[in-house]
Amino acid sequence: MPVQDRHAELSRMVRERDKEMARIFDTLRRSSAPLCLMMMRRNELVTEEEMQSFSPELRRAIEIP
């Protein structure tokens, strides 16, 4: 793959990842917390140990299938 194509693909991947991180962290409100936490878990940004500090109800609500 030519260098220009690799650069374009890498740039695309970085933009997609930036958008994903923005969806997680730019909407931190009480009402969106479960969804944000679920996305953090999906992206492995919260450890299982950290999850233990949340209520059982919240942990069940954000379980990743």
Side-chain angles (χ1 to χ4, degrees):
M1 180 183 286
V3 171
Q4 290 173 317
D5 292 346
R6 287 186 289 187
H7 182 269
E9 179 64 16
L10 180 59
S11 294
R12 183 191 62 76
M13 290 170 56
V14 167
R15 281 191 306 275
E16 286 179 13
R17 191 68 171 172
D18 284 346
K19 288 179 186 176
E20 188 174 358
M21 291 298 109
R23 282 192 298 270
I24 294 172
F25 293 104
D26 289 352
T27 59
L28 292 178
R29 294 184 302 271
R30 187 179 180 128
S31 62
S32 65
L35 178 60
C36 291
L37 191 54
M38 185 184 305
M39 289 189 291
M40 288 178 193
R41 286 286 290 157
R42 186 174 294 135
N43 285 282
E44 299 178 2
L45 300 172
V46 178
T47 66
E48 187 58 41
E49 182 180 343
E50 292 167 327
M51 288 299 299
Q52 296 305 312
S53 66
F54 297 109
S55 70
E57 295 86 350
L58 179 60
R59 290 195 312 262
R60 279 193 298 275
I62 64 168
E63 282 181 356
I64 300 172

